[in-house]
Amino acid sequence: MMMIRLTPVMTLAALALAGCANNAGARPETAPSADVPPPATTPAANDAQMSAVAHPDIWPSPKWPLKHDPATEARIAALVARMTPEEKVGQILQADICCVTPADVKKYHLGSVLNGGNSGPYGDDMAPKEKWLQLADEFYKASVDKSDGGVGIPVIWGIDAVHGNSNIIGATLFPHNIGLGAAHDPKLIERIGRATAVEIRTTGQEWTFAPTVTVPQDYRWGRAYEGYSSNPKLVSDYVGAMIRGLQGPPSNGPLLKGPYVIASTKHFLADGGTEGGKDQGDAKISEQELRDIHGAPYVPAIENGVATVMASFSSWNGVKMTGNKSLLTGVLKDRMNFDGFVVTDWNAQGQVKGCTNTDCPQAINAGVDMYMAPDSWKGLYKSLLAEVKDGTVPMSRLNDAVTRILRVKMRLGVFEAGKPSSRPYSGQWDQLGSPEHRAIAREAVRKSLVLLKNSGSVLPIKPGAKVLVAGDAADDVARQSGGWTLSWQGTGLSNKDFPGATTIWKGLDDAVTSAGGKATLSPDGSYAARPDVAIVVFGETPYAEFQGDRQTLQLSPRLLDGPLATMKKLKAQGIPVVAVMITGRPLFMNPVLNTADAFVTAWLPGSEGEGVADVLVAGKDGKVRYDFTGRLPAAWPATAKAHGDVLFPYGYGLSLADHPAWQTLSEDPGVEAADSGNVWLDKGQPAPSWSLLVTAPDGSDETRVTATPATALDGRVKIATVNSDVQEGARQFAVESGPATIAVGTHSPVDITRETNGELMLTFAMRVDSAPAAAPTVAMACGDGTCDASVPLPMPLATGSWTTWGIPLKCFADRGMAMDSVAKPFALNLQGPATVSLSRVALGTTADRKVACPE
């Protein structure tokens, strides 16, 4: 079997046909004839300047499966007639539990609450399962309290249960969607949806912000792993299955009587088609492409009665989706017959032209029914109430939004269900991470694995083998689970946070031992007894949303260089190597593919790491336990260049019986070094296009630190290389006298507005070797110095140990920093003699010591 490479003259259709013809073990029925539909002529496609106004008549018109029940409609109408404007406005607002109390829910008649990725009950993101249910009861009781004469409509709680009930300690964590896409198994998807719904119900929530039905077209995008596939047909095949798993059959109701929750397809529309793969960016595409690629999954979603749709942060041809009436109302509601309600993404209303987070009538007038206003809800309540009363928001539009929300709540059955703890499945902790659910997840892991190289007879690993398990990702549940896992970014976690989970290492150890062999864990690949085979587990570290955006399809050198060196060392010693990659996307991996004897893409498998061993390790009798059946859900790149040549096409994947002759690949990525990814200094070295600087406080007398030892500011600052967590992984700055500034800067300012809205922090790893007498400040600066802002560090500063500091970006924004033009994201100002060492500067969500914003 020959490798398939896409040349500039190959069409997508020809590529797909080649993939089917040359893909041993592939299932042709799961591989459509092309990654994307062919071009077609639409009104937008013919415009020289593509329009952001949709033409509903060219869109499909699926049938909404639920008929209006006259009794229910009369009940809804009676409620709406009784509601005051204050109650109606409250009903269309959703507040984050970080920023709302049960008393607020009662006072403002709020229709919904949510927990963001870093929010947990009573301020504890790692709260035990019982606390989630306890708080759900408190919100519910407050919402139905009619002591003030109100109508008392039950609140609903939305949660990002995107790969299992992944906010809750002990829950089953299924593979992220890209891995499920590799399984090409819609029936499996429905079972996963059902298991997820049950686990959500145990902790008292009723609504999941899933499934993500994006169709990623650029895998530089930080949310690409949330999409099942780049192929709209495969995504469409999955959508109905997942919705049926979560909500039950379309005619089902009331949902809370069964093991169900309401679902939300997201993000409407074309979040996976933005220019450059930029999260919250602009999809500059024709209406035909918008419809046929990104709109396709919404047909089965609507046909299966999805209860809610989340509008995207992103734009279409320059207009934010949250404010695009032609799409939200004209296409989704009027043409496609969606009869549920539309909710915004996190403060997305603030990105609509002419809006702020606390004032945006444009969104509801465009077709939004509920504002996800985590910390802005109170300001929105005030402005929307005024705009309803002065006619800016027509009462008819508000009534329609409230009616849609009440209709979903009636279908849910929340009016009759009682408090969350009294409902079926609530508090049934044996269902949370149950053996049955973990078995489904384990099955999903083994079905998701894709074998891209299989030279010789290294796989499956034979009984009695001595197996070395290496790589820094082998024994790390958080690493194999990715973002949206217990925390927003999935960072700052350890294996103890995942009771019941199994790492890839533990799964391999159990399987090898059961087959009469011996496994040894050694992350750096060293060993005392020579192994028969080595498995090196490596890959991406967790990220979510824009934190995962990349400029190229490369793995950061800090994540690749060590494992690759380990593989080469082992190969040089004649030891066969199996590379197992943890990743949320296809990446340029030619150096690893050339080095390893076998290459397995494990995606982000979640909590059941033994699913990897199920396929890699033979049984005690030497027979294959499970073969590789996973096939690529998106093309695998031949270079790190986005939209460049393809090495392996969509639908490609080997079985254990396949041993194609290997042709050595070019190891030239075709692009310059990987971008910083909001990591500006790592191991003491600045990222590409960034510089480590020593200057006077006013920015003059600048010295760029390129080698050590060095001096700056007329010899007042001495710079040396010191050790951190790795040898020579930091730079030390000894300031002998007078003021000095240590900074990281660039000549191409960056826009971190999204990150500021996302409540990220500026983090820096620093060791104070000799403390200054006066408090240092940390500043951000624009290129021209007109919008600098600084925050003091609290004194006294402990000396002698490494500390990761975190300063919320909003601290700088609130003090006047223009977050869309940051040239120096970090500038440490020292006023007198001091010695500090610096190893890393980046954006992040975790820190050893967090600095409060100054008053």
Side-chain angles (χ1 to χ4, degrees):
M1 182 178 66
M2 300 296 291
M3 293 293 171
I4 299 170
R5 295 178 177 81
L6 180 65
T7 65
V9 298
M10 288 182 74
T11 66
L12 285 168
L15 170 63
L17 291 172
C20 290
N22 291 278
N23 185 10
R27 289 164 284 181
E29 69 274 12
T30 67
S33 60
D35 272 320
V36 295
T41 300
T42 70
N46 285 333
D47 291 344
Q49 180 69 38
M50 285 192 291
S51 171
V53 178
H55 301 75
D57 58 309
I58 69 168
W59 288 70
S61 185
K63 182 180 179 181
W64 182 251
L66 300 167
K67 294 182 179 180
H68 287 182
D69 172 61
T72 301
E73 292 302 304
R75 185 181 178 191
I76 293 170
L79 277 172
V80 173
R82 288 174 52 203
M83 292 171 72
T84 65
E86 288 79 5
E87 288 174 311
K88 293 176 183 178
V89 169
Q91 195 62 206
I92 69 170
L93 296 177
Q94 182 182 57
D96 190 276
I97 63 173
C98 72
C99 309
V100 69
T101 65
D104 289 329
V105 168
K106 177 181 182 296
K107 179 179 179 180
Y108 293 95
H109 318 287
L110 299 183
S112 180
V113 296
L114 83 150
N115 60 283
N118 287 330
S119 299
Y122 313 106
D124 182 6
D125 193 31
M126 303 294 286
K129 53 189 178 294
E130 295 85 359
K131 293 297 183 181
W132 292 83
L133 185 55
Q134 177 182 325
L135 185 59
D137 272 357
E138 292 173 10
F139 279 125
Y140 171 83
K141 290 176 182 177
S143 69
V144 298
D145 185 342
K146 301 179 184 180
S147 60
D148 60 358
V151 293
I153 295 172
V155 71
I156 54 175
W157 184 336
I159 188 169
D160 279 296
V162 296
H163 65 130
N165 197 9
S166 49
N167 293 264
I168 312 299
I169 293 174
T172 308
L173 301 175
F174 297 94
H176 269 294
N177 285 355
I178 191 170
L180 298 181
H184 294 267
D185 189 342
K187 291 182 179 179
L188 172 65
I189 300 306
E190 185 166 348
R191 291 160 57 208
I192 289 172
R194 182 66 50 83
T196 299
V198 169
E199 296 205 14
I200 294 170
R201 290 290 298 280
T202 66
T203 50
Q205 289 71 51
E206 308 95 348
W207 180 11
T208 175
F209 303 131
T212 303
V213 300
T214 184
V215 189
Q217 300 299 293
D218 190 325
Y219 279 83
R220 292 175 294 179
W221 183 36
R223 303 193 76 158
Y225 65 82
E226 296 184 49
Y228 296 115
S229 174
S230 63
N231 189 306
K233 183 181 185 304
L234 178 58
V235 178
S236 298
D237 288 344
Y238 272 23
V239 173
M242 179 58 80
I243 292 170
R244 289 191 298 275
L246 292 168
Q247 296 187 169
S251 59
N252 186 45
L255 302 188
L256 291 179
K257 283 190 174 181
Y260 304 113
V261 294
I262 56 173
S264 185
T265 44
K266 64 183 186 182
H267 303 88
F268 189 88
L269 192 60
D271 53 344
T274 61
E275 186 175 47
K278 183 178 180 181
D279 191 45
Q280 304 181 24
D282 190 6
K284 298 179 179 179
I285 58 178
S286 71
E287 188 172 359
Q288 180 272 338
E289 190 173 342
L290 184 73
R291 178 195 66 197
D292 293 350
I293 296 177
H294 306 283
Y298 286 88
V299 172
I302 290 167
E303 290 174 340
N304 281 276
V306 66
T308 71
V309 168
M310 186 180 294
S312 182
F313 270 122
S314 60
S315 303
W316 176 46
N317 293 331
V319 176
K320 287 290 180 180
M321 293 288 173
T322 304
N324 194 319
K325 186 173 183 178
S326 71
L327 285 168
L328 295 181
T329 298
V331 169
L332 181 62
K333 291 180 175 179
D334 294 345
R335 176 67 178 181
M336 298 186 77
N337 302 307
F338 173 63
D339 200 36
F341 71 81
V342 175
V343 62
T344 73
D345 209 331
W346 182 281
N347 273 335
Q349 72 278 358
Q351 297 185 13
V352 175
K353 185 177 181 180
C355 290
T356 65
N357 284 358
T358 56
D359 189 1
C360 191
Q362 292 93 320
I364 186 171
N365 287 340
V368 163
D369 301 304
M370 181 179 284
Y371 291 80
M372 185 188 290
D375 55 356
S376 60
W377 63 269
K378 193 171 290 186
L380 264 177
Y381 177 89
K382 182 178 179 180
S383 63
L384 281 169
L385 186 58
E387 287 152 356
V388 168
K389 290 180 177 180
D390 70 16
T392 302
V393 175
M395 183 59 74
S396 59
R397 174 74 273 268
L398 178 61
N399 286 345
D400 176 58
V402 173
T403 297
R404 286 172 172 271
I405 293 168
L406 294 182
R407 191 176 289 131
V408 168
K409 289 186 175 184
M410 294 284 184
R411 178 184 176 194
L412 186 60
V414 72
F415 284 87
E416 292 75 34
K419 63 182 181 180
S421 63
S422 70
R423 302 169 187 168
Y425 304 97
S426 291
Q428 293 186 12
W429 307 128
D430 59 337
Q431 293 288 334
L432 191 69
S434 71
E436 293 80 8
H437 296 166
R438 292 187 183 277
I440 297 171
R442 182 171 178 172
E443 176 187 346
V445 173
R446 59 179 177 255
K447 287 183 174 180
S448 72
L449 303 177
V450 179
L451 182 62
L452 294 181
K453 181 182 179 182
N454 190 25
S455 297
S457 57
V458 64
L459 290 178
I461 294 169
K462 297 174 178 59
K466 296 188 291 293
V467 181
L468 177 69
V469 181
D472 58 359
D475 192 29
D476 191 334
V477 180
R479 184 85 171 266
Q480 69 194 40
S481 298
W484 299 109
T485 302
L486 297 187
S487 68
W488 176 34
Q489 296 290 322
T491 55
L493 304 169
S494 65
N495 287 348
K496 67 179 177 58
D497 297 317
F498 300 94
T502 305
T503 66
I504 292 174
W505 148 248
K506 182 63 167 61
L508 289 167
D509 186 29
D510 289 348
V512 170
T513 302
S514 296
K518 179 177 176 55
T520 303
L521 177 65
S522 175
D524 66 357
S526 59
Y527 56 84
R530 180 183 175 86
D532 298 314
V533 61
I535 301 172
V536 181
V537 188
F538 73 106
E540 293 192 302
T541 51
Y543 55 83
E545 298 194 60
F546 42 76
Q547 279 291 86
D549 282 2
R550 304 289 291 173
Q551 292 179 8
T552 62
L553 294 173
Q554 285 177 290
L555 186 63
S556 168
R558 68 186 179 88
L559 299 174
L560 177 61
D561 291 352
L564 180 57
T566 297
M567 293 180 212
K568 289 183 175 180
K569 177 184 69 176
L570 293 167
K571 284 289 292 180
Q573 295 167 359
I575 298 169
V577 171
V578 178
V580 176
M581 185 178 182
I582 302 298
T583 183
R585 51 191 150 199
L587 293 171
F588 170 71
M589 278 291 120
N590 289 10
V592 177
L593 283 160
N594 282 335
T595 301
D597 297 277
F599 185 102
V600 177
T601 303
W603 310 109
L604 299 170
S607 61
E608 309 311 302
E610 65 267 66
V612 175
D614 285 345
V615 185
L616 266 61
V617 181
K620 193 171 185 178
D621 58 3
K623 294 181 179 179
V624 172
R625 295 189 294 159
Y626 297 95
D627 202 349
F628 286 91
T629 59
R631 303 294 179 252
L632 288 177
W636 194 276
T639 71
K641 186 177 182 180
H643 309 300
D645 289 353
V646 167
L647 182 60
F648 304 115
Y650 167 88
Y652 182 88
L654 302 174
S655 300
L656 285 168
D658 301 324
H659 301 284
W662 184 255
Q663 301 174 11
T664 301
L665 306 171
S666 167
E667 298 189 6
D668 179 3
V671 296
E672 294 186 8
D675 62 292
S676 66
N678 288 338
V679 177
W680 299 305
L681 184 79
D682 191 48
K683 296 181 175 62
Q685 296 284 352
S689 79
W690 291 83
S691 299
L692 181 59
L693 309 167
V694 177
T695 71
D698 63 1
S700 63
D701 200 5
E702 179 180 288
T703 297
R704 182 182 176 198
V705 181
T706 56
T708 56
T711 61
L713 298 180
D714 297 324
R716 290 192 295 108
V717 180
K718 291 182 171 57
I719 306 144
T721 298
V722 295
N723 297 335
S724 57
D725 57 333
V726 297
Q727 185 175 3
E728 297 187 352
R731 299 295 176 264
Q732 185 182 71
F733 302 86
V735 181
E736 294 182 352
S737 64
T741 297
I742 302 159
V744 177
T746 181
H747 292 296
S748 302
V750 295
D751 181 352
I752 55 174
T753 306
R754 296 175 304 165
E755 289 82 349
T756 305
N757 182 51
E759 300 187 358
L760 266 65
M761 297 186 293
L762 170 67
T763 67
F764 53 98
M766 182 173 71
R767 185 182 69 199
V768 179
D769 302 307
S770 174
T777 63
V778 174
M780 281 190 173
C782 301
D784 59 8
T786 60
C787 56
D788 301 3
S790 63
V791 174
L793 296 184
M795 294 288 279
L797 300 178
T799 60
S801 61
W802 285 99
T803 299
T804 297
W805 292 78
I807 305 176
L809 294 180
K810 64 182 180 182
C811 297
F812 300 102
D814 291 346
R815 295 170 78 83
M817 179 64 198
M819 307 305 286
D820 61 351
S821 55
V822 179
K824 288 182 180 176
F826 174 84
L828 177 68
N829 300 307
L830 299 168
Q831 296 303 314
T835 301
V836 299
S837 298
L838 194 67
S839 66
R840 181 175 169 87
V841 176
L843 295 185
T845 57
T846 59
D848 301 322
R849 191 169 180 185
K850 296 181 181 179
V851 179
C853 295
E855 293 292 337

